[in-house]
Amino acid sequence: MSIDTKTAAHVAKLARIRVDEDDLPALADEFNTILGFIEQLQEVDVEGVEPMTGVTPMRLKRRDDVVTDGNQTDKVLSNAPDAREGFFAVPKVVE
Amino acid sequence: MLDLTYEAPTPKVIQGAKHDWELVIGLEVHAQVASKAKLFSGASTQFGAEPNSNVAFVDAGMPGMLPVINEGCVALAVKTGLGLKAQINLVSAFDRKNYFYPDLPQGYQISQLYHPLVGEGEVLVDMGPGVARKVRIERIHMEQDAGKSIHDMDPHMSFVDLNRTGVALMEIVSRPDIRGPEEAAAYVGKLRQILRYLGTCNGDMQNGNLRADVNVSVCRPGDYEKFIETGDPSVLGTRCEIKNMNSMRFIQAAIDHEARRQIAIIEDGGSVVQETRLYDPDKGETRSMRNKEEAHDYRYFPDPDLLPLEIEQAWVDEIAGSLPELPDEKRARFVTEYGMTEYDANVLTAEVENAAFFEEVAAGRDGKTAANWVINELFGRLKKDDLAISESPVSAAQLGAILDLLAKDEISGKIAKDLFEIVWTEGGDPAQIVEDRGMKQVTDTGAIEAAVDDIIAANPAQVEKAQGNPKLAGWFVGQVMKATGGKANPKAVNQIVTDKLGL
């Protein structure tokens, strides 16, 4: 699999990262290097090996269905560039 | 319908300009889990709270915050799976579905794409007496809900409330087994009923508790059967997905409109483009959400913050042991245990609260009479005042007491209705009210005889007519009832009138 500049531009757009047209070839190259490394891993024979989901022998931690958090509107909104009447205010997004 | 002697309904046929067409429909229903706290945080799920008050830092996507799963949500999802006779997967896993939107602060939704918690199940959708559609469930997975954007509070800004962000949803995915708009609405209705019986989702569609995405395609008669035989979806038409509907009426209207739109395109020689559409209830049409298409590159991958969810069979068995009686079983039992019609059983079991109320009234009494009273008097009155059964001014015990007075012949049917109205508006112990207000039925034949004698004496012309035409005896019965304020026992009055007139 090879990444061209068009794909690189698409990935950048999905990630909401602005990339100048001139920088796209270099970005595509970097992607290809990463993918090349992953492809190398594909060469390992994993026939019959269970996929590893974690490196620690742990069970997924759970909690009870109890309300223990919330009521901190000020803190939640404190980093927002704009907040009004308890809401985050963002530039209009509408279908 | 436990005996499974039902027939499948005939698919809906829409006549196009050139041919007949059939519909193939599959639904993805998002049901909010009836938990107290969110799926991965300890914030409340309470609806209608102040904006951004039910928000933990996890929900707000603050850096460094880690999700911890709510075991109660998992239990409710497992219970739902069991209620839909589905396979429970002891190992499932969470994946990230990546997209940007202001009401999704994490930048991804935690969902279960590759390894859902619940596998294949089924729902039997009743479409009339002895007719039902078996809709297969493909899977149920758990996921986070997004926040809410409000667009109409400011001309230039959208306002975002994260209270709903991270609330647990069950996405219930059906197979394309549904063959018409009515079936689709009935399917959602049945699903809602089962969820409410299970207590795993409140099913409040107005508040977005239950929302459906509908996949619709059209095909020529016979094509669907080919698809079922071969499993090859290419014999069917291209489908469109109508997103996010929260009313059964809209679901029905949207499917109908969408099918006709697709038929018109195909008959005009065009082809349907697979896309996501929105239903506009004001215009009664669907429109494309094309601008979202590019964003539909979700780049799913396993969530590195969460280990796989492993549950034990013993725990699943324990949950299975706590399953309540479900609608189909309850309805069948009502028919056999109380001797009521299937129709009445349907009405009484539609909502689990109604069924419970009825059973309290019927306990130790005649089931048919109890069913009649609950359905005709109580439900009728509740509807008139627009009240829920939980708000009924007449309790099950009070209604039961009225039925006891009726069964003991202490009051007539007419008086019982008056009594019901009194208890409805004023409350109180029905037996005491009857006692205090002298509403007891007159069964003393002496008093009734006297009343009959008076009326016969006062109406010689009517007596003559009645003797020629015994059907007119009813007039005398009516007069006696009037004279006694409806308290005379109608059976006794009938007998005495017949005797006295020598009929």
Side-chain angles (χ1 to χ4, degrees), chain A residues 10 13-16 53-54 58-73 75-77 79 82 84-95, chain B residues 35-43 51-53 55-57 68-71 100 102 150-151 154-160 162 291-292 294 297 299 307-308 310 312:
Chain A
H10 178 59
K13 187 175 178 193
L14 287 173
R16 298 294 190 278
T53 49
M58 261 179 71
R59 180 177 182 265
L60 177 66
K61 197 172 153 48
R62 295 136 212 244
R63 50 186 183 83
D64 292 334
D65 182 23
V66 179
V67 176
T68 55
D69 211 335
N71 291 316
Q72 46 175 356
T73 313
K75 284 186 188 165
V76 166
L77 295 173
N79 292 320
D82 192 357
R84 302 177 198 180
E85 296 171 61
F87 293 96
F88 290 91
V90 300
K92 196 132 193 137
V93 270
V94 73
E95 279 300 321
Chain B
S35 62
K36 295 185 192 75
K38 294 182 180 181
L39 181 54
F40 293 112
S41 88
N52 292 306
S53 60
V55 182
F57 291 142
V68 181
I69 198 164
N70 179 340
E71 192 164 37
F100 275 103
I150 300 161
H151 305 295
D154 186 283
H156 309 294
M157 310 295 277
S158 289
F159 285 11
V160 180
L162 300 181
N291 50 347
K292 255 205 165 174
E294 197 192 3
D297 184 347
R299 296 149 292 149
L307 286 163
E310 291 180 53
E312 289 75 40

Side-chain angles (χ1 to χ4, degrees), chain B residues 142-214:
Chain B
M142 306 194 72
E143 61 183 28
Q144 298 176 297
D145 205 346
K148 198 177 167 198
S149 301
I150 300 161
H151 305 295
D152 56 8
M153 279 176 69
D154 186 283
H156 309 294
M157 310 295 277
S158 289
F159 285 11
V160 180
D161 175 9
L162 300 181
N163 281 350
R164 212 177 59 190
T165 306
V167 167
L169 300 178
M170 300 177 277
E171 178 168 330
I172 304 167
V173 183
S174 88
R175 298 268 181 201
D177 290 349
I178 298 164
R179 306 302 314 284
E182 296 79 13
E183 281 182 35
Y187 165 73
V188 175
K190 185 63 178 278
L191 206 52
R192 178 179 177 275
Q193 185 190 30
I194 294 172
L195 295 175
R196 285 176 50 82
Y197 266 65
L198 291 167
T200 57
C201 169
N202 301 334
D204 186 340
M205 297 186 78
Q206 268 183 341
N207 290 346
N209 242 244
L210 200 70
R211 316 190 286 266
D213 298 343
V214 185

Side-chain angles (χ1 to χ4, degrees), chain B residues 453-467:
Chain B
D453 284 341
D454 285 351
I455 288 161
I456 286 178
N459 298 283
Q462 288 287 345
V463 172
E464 208 171 307
K465 273 194 216 161
Q467 277 161 346

Side-chain angles (χ1 to χ4, degrees), chain B residues 40-266:
Chain B
F40 293 112
S41 88
S44 169
T45 59
Q46 188 69 45
F47 182 82
E50 287 295 308
N52 292 306
S53 60
N54 293 339
V55 182
F57 291 142
V58 189
D59 310 317
M62 295 290 179
M65 301 310 298
L66 288 174
V68 181
I69 198 164
N70 179 340
E71 192 164 37
C73 293
V74 180
L76 290 170
V78 167
K79 197 171 186 180
T80 302
L82 293 169
L84 301 181
K85 303 181 179 71
Q87 168 210 333
I88 305 299
N89 297 323
L90 297 180
V91 180
S92 63
F94 291 94
D95 305 294
R96 290 184 181 181
K97 176 181 181 175
N98 299 281
Y99 67 95
F100 275 103
Y101 207 70
D103 57 23
L104 188 80
Q106 288 174 143
Y108 55 85
Q109 175 193 35
I110 304 179
S111 181
Q112 297 189 299
L113 177 68
Y114 301 108
H115 304 286
L117 177 63
V118 181
E120 294 183 335
E122 64 180 54
V123 176
L124 200 58
V125 182
D126 319 294
M127 296 303 299
V131 183
R133 173 74 70 195
K134 188 167 99 181
V135 177
R136 292 167 301 160
I137 301 296
E138 187 182 316
R139 57 187 283 162
I140 305 175
H141 62 256
M142 306 194 72
E143 61 183 28
Q144 298 176 297
D145 205 346
K148 198 177 167 198
S149 301
I150 300 161
H151 305 295
D152 56 8
M153 279 176 69
D154 186 283
H156 309 294
M157 310 295 277
S158 289
F159 285 11
V160 180
D161 175 9
L162 300 181
N163 281 350
R164 212 177 59 190
T165 306
V167 167
L169 300 178
M170 300 177 277
E171 178 168 330
I172 304 167
V173 183
S174 88
R175 298 268 181 201
D177 290 349
I178 298 164
R179 306 302 314 284
E182 296 79 13
E183 281 182 35
Y187 165 73
V188 175
K190 185 63 178 278
L191 206 52
R192 178 179 177 275
Q193 185 190 30
I194 294 172
L195 295 175
R196 285 176 50 82
Y197 266 65
L198 291 167
T200 57
C201 169
N202 301 334
D204 186 340
M205 297 186 78
Q206 268 183 341
N207 290 346
N209 242 244
L210 200 70
R211 316 190 286 266
D213 298 343
V214 185
N215 284 288
V216 185
S217 69
V218 296
C219 66
R220 301 289 304 280
D223 287 351
Y224 183 79
E225 288 69 22
K226 253 181 257 165
F227 160 67
I228 291 296
E229 211 175 284
T230 62
D232 175 11
S234 70
V235 300
L236 300 176
T238 303
R239 66 171 193 268
C240 286
E241 184 181 19
I242 316 167
K243 278 274 185 203
N244 219 11
M245 282 179 290
N246 66 348
S247 128
M248 293 192 228
R249 198 162 53 84
F250 291 167
I251 289 171
Q252 219 168 305
I255 292 172
D256 191 71
H257 171 272
E258 176 58 20
R260 287 172 199 278
R261 187 189 70 89
Q262 293 181 10
I263 291 166
I265 291 174
I266 300 167

